[in-house]
Amino acid sequence: MSDSIVVIDYGSQYTRLITRRLRELDVFSAIVRPEDGMEAVRAHRPAGVVLSGGPSSVTRDDAPGLPEGLLDSELPILAICYGMQALARALGGEVAPSAVREYGKADLAWYRGDLFDGVEGTFTAWMSHGDSVVRPPDGFEVTAATEDTPVAAMEDRERGRYALQFHPEVRHTPKGGALLERFVERTGVRRDWTPDAIIDRAIEDVRGRTAGERVLLGISGGVDSSTLGLLLHRALGDRLEAVFVDTGLLRMNEGTEVARALRGLGVRLTVVDARDRFLAALAGVTDPEEKRKAVGRTFIDVFQEEAVRLQREHGPIRFLAQGTLYPDVIESAGGQGAANIKSHHNVGGLPEDLRFDLIEPFRTLFKDEVREVAAALGLPKELRDRHPFPGPGLAIRILGEVTEERLEVLRRVDDVFVRSLREFGQYDAIWQALAILTPLRSVGVMGDGRTYAHTVALRAVTSVDGMTADWARIPHELLATVSNRIVNQVPEVNRVVYDVTSKPPGTIEWE
């Protein structure tokens, strides 16, 4: 039985979503670029291939085509949107600009065929195309149509080739999941991509790679490194040296909570109090990029000193573990070993005389899969479900210079915001919520007195993977409560504003 379904990425904004939908069906799915060829596809031992959508037109001379040898491989194929058009053209069908372009929801006028087996009732599909298949290749049967698209789906069941002009992976196609599952069934792929199986594989791989050697891990306080700490503890026991550097830039009580949770689950954790060093490094720094560099340099210095101490006192450490995730791998070209070192707590940049062999047990996982693994490993819910947090911490949520006083103000504001979101049942529906301490002060009135105090901005967004995001429509009652609590509980603040900018054009963080 084969191990995966490979998604060929033609540049669709939904490529990762296809991969996630397949993984939700307990199937390991990996993304490969068409130019990587069949060697990259075969490396994943696929049982089938999905051709994604994309922004190109197959009628252009430079349009990306199918990997050479794919059609000779006899692998089952599910082609979506652009992928459908590329498959049709490669097999001798005809594609032309649509007389009426379809963007958005459309109801199928009718549907039938193997892929739709078991589907009943109205089928609403999400369309996004300017070209259409006007003549299917030989051997294909048209299996669905809309009012404006005569060939909305087609299939060659004998060869296991299916094509959809619409996107089954998006929520706007409510019954699309049934089509993906039908394709999965047709491939016969192994369906064991579950948290327990992921943990077992990772532990086996870590033990095999480290072969009795010791491993160093930097804990940032986030869910990725905390979960990795639990996994490596289970795999290595006392051969794991986990180091948590308290930068002083974390959220309210975060360092204490992380240390208590990990130690409570058996992890031998070294906590280094470096708060004064980070404040000194940030003194007088106001440029966002310079802040990031200052935090990164200081973290590396502190981590290096601790690594040297641990090796001096306990013996050599050969391996460094990092919580690199699959999106990092994809963004850095998708090859093995290609992951970017994206933030200071991944401790890239160590000096030449302190180099380690790298292990990245999470490099095939998405963020929500890490959370599922965290739950299976016993990480408390309040830690595993925490919103994403930047490596430089609150330093980049303070506009202007970072001081102890300003950090304390922002920490209290952030704590009020987050606790209120949890109280109103909104926290889990939001991808990321944060507070920003602006350099603005404004006049206010509190009691019978005039105030001149800080202005803070609140931001909350909804998202799937953080690549794009929309501002969260928080109930007005909640916003009013949060604002009232902040100005009453944090006397240094007298004005609260809410950010209603999506990404793009804005970013999630302000700096």
Side-chain angles (χ1 to χ4, degrees):
M1 185 176 290
S2 298
D3 294 335
S4 73
I5 292 178
V6 169
V7 179
I8 308 294
D9 180 17
Y10 289 98
S12 170
Q13 61 180 318
Y14 301 130
T15 297
R16 293 189 193 186
L17 190 54
I18 298 170
T19 306
R20 286 296 303 119
R21 294 289 177 258
L22 292 170
R23 292 188 181 197
E24 288 168 4
L25 295 170
D26 297 336
V27 173
F28 176 66
S29 177
I31 296 172
V32 171
R33 299 172 303 177
E35 60 267 30
D36 292 337
M38 284 301 294
E39 182 177 353
V41 174
R42 293 191 186 97
H44 294 286
R45 291 172 41 86
V49 170
V50 176
L51 308 179
S52 84
S56 299
S57 169
V58 297
T59 61
R60 292 171 55 100
D61 293 338
D62 60 350
L66 306 187
E68 186 175 353
L70 173 61
L71 296 178
D72 296 328
S73 70
E74 298 186 354
L75 287 169
I77 297 172
L78 173 62
I80 298 172
C81 198
Y82 176 90
M84 171 178 178
Q85 298 159 15
L87 177 67
R89 193 163 179 133
L91 290 170
E94 183 180 350
V95 178
S98 303
V100 178
R101 297 187 176 193
E102 279 188 310
Y103 296 98
K105 293 181 180 180
D107 289 338
L108 299 185
W110 57 268
Y111 58 86
R112 61 174 179 248
D114 185 38
L115 210 60
F116 290 91
D117 187 34
V119 177
E120 298 178 349
T122 301
F123 195 107
T124 300
W126 185 259
M127 293 285 191
S128 180
H129 66 104
D131 295 336
S132 295
V133 174
V134 294
R135 181 175 58 79
D138 292 344
F140 276 79
E141 172 193 6
V142 178
T143 54
T146 70
E147 182 178 347
D148 296 316
T149 303
V151 187
M154 62 183 190
E155 64 183 49
D156 181 344
R157 180 175 180 177
E158 183 178 339
R159 293 179 174 81
R161 294 169 180 173
Y162 305 87
L164 304 171
Q165 186 56 70
F166 54 88
H167 291 273
E169 69 275 18
V170 302
R171 297 302 185 194
H172 301 301
T173 305
K175 298 177 182 178
L179 308 189
L180 292 175
E181 182 157 24
R182 186 71 169 168
F183 177 70
V184 164
E185 292 169 353
R186 287 289 173 261
T187 67
V189 68
R190 187 190 306 274
R191 299 182 69 172
D192 61 354
W193 190 252
T194 63
D196 287 340
I198 291 169
I199 291 169
D200 291 343
R201 291 179 187 177
I203 288 175
E204 181 181 359
D205 181 65
V206 166
R207 288 173 176 168
R209 282 206 58 199
T210 58
E213 300 278 356
R214 294 165 68 231
V215 176
L216 180 65
L217 170 66
I219 301 286
S220 70
V223 64
D224 301 337
S225 62
S226 298
T227 305
L228 185 54
L230 292 179
L231 178 95
L232 292 176
H233 169 69
R234 185 173 292 189
L236 305 170
D238 287 343
R239 287 196 287 124
L240 171 66
E241 294 287 359
V243 177
F244 175 62
V245 177
D246 186 350
T247 65
L249 306 173
L250 300 176
R251 292 166 284 200
M252 183 75 76
N253 301 322
E254 187 166 23
T256 301
E257 292 170 0
V258 170
R260 183 189 302 120
L262 293 182
R263 285 170 171 165
L265 291 167
V267 178
R268 187 174 67 183
L269 182 68
T270 300
V271 177
V272 181
D273 185 351
R275 290 173 290 183
D276 291 342
R277 290 181 64 171
F278 281 88
L279 272 176
L282 289 165
V285 180
T286 58
D287 179 78
E289 189 56 32
E290 289 305 314
K291 286 182 187 178
R292 292 177 183 273
K293 290 177 180 178
V295 172
R297 285 192 300 267
T298 306
F299 188 93
I300 289 171
D301 289 344
V302 174
F303 194 82
Q304 175 186 350
E305 292 166 11
E306 194 59 26
V308 169
R309 184 191 69 80
L310 289 169
Q311 295 193 80
R312 183 177 63 248
E313 296 181 4
H314 303 295
I317 301 174
R318 177 181 171 187
F319 292 94
L320 174 68
Q322 288 194 162
T324 306
L325 301 187
Y326 194 45
D328 305 325
V329 178
I330 297 169
E331 289 166 12
S332 58
Q336 289 292 319
N340 289 324
I341 308 303
K342 63 183 174 63
S343 58
H344 75 81
H345 57 255
N346 280 336
V347 295
L350 289 171
E352 290 295 335
D353 61 349
L354 195 65
R355 289 294 181 181
F356 303 92
D357 291 337
L358 194 64
I359 57 173
E360 299 171 311
F362 290 166
R363 65 179 288 114
T364 59
L365 303 186
F366 287 97
K367 187 80 171 187
D368 53 343
E369 291 175 308
V370 173
R371 296 189 196 279
E372 293 169 2
V373 168
L377 290 170
L379 189 68
K381 184 179 188 303
E382 60 271 19
L383 295 184
R384 70 174 184 263
D385 290 343
R386 267 185 170 155
H387 292 168
F389 191 64
L394 297 180
I396 60 168
R397 292 180 180 174
I398 293 175
L399 307 188
E401 185 177 6
V402 179
T403 65
E404 181 60 37
E405 181 261 337
R406 301 188 83 202
L407 280 167
E408 279 305 307
V409 170
L410 182 56
R411 239 189 297 270
R412 283 180 284 150
V413 170
D414 179 82
D415 185 56
V416 170
F417 189 25
V418 169
R419 283 190 292 107
S420 299
L421 288 172
R422 291 189 186 279
E423 178 185 329
F424 277 72
Q426 293 288 311
Y427 186 84
D428 291 339
I430 291 171
W431 168 266
Q432 192 169 357
L434 58 137
I436 302 99
L437 183 61
T438 79
L440 303 175
R441 290 177 181 264
S442 64
V443 174
V445 177
M446 300 183 72
D448 294 324
R450 177 183 181 276
T451 63
Y452 187 64
H454 291 291
T455 298
V456 296
L458 304 181
R459 180 142 171 79
V461 299
T462 57
S463 180
V464 174
D465 56 12
M467 299 300 292
T468 61
D470 195 13
W471 62 276
R473 273 60 170 179
I474 292 176
H476 291 178
E477 178 188 359
L478 170 55
L479 284 175
T481 300
V482 170
S483 177
N484 182 264
R485 288 175 176 175
I486 288 173
V487 297
N488 279 286
Q489 297 176 28
V490 188
E492 297 90 344
V493 174
N494 70 355
R495 192 174 298 270
V496 179
V497 298
Y498 185 60
D499 183 350
V500 294
T501 311
S502 295
K503 175 188 178 182
T507 54
I508 295 177
E509 301 283 349
W510 277 31
E511 289 198 342

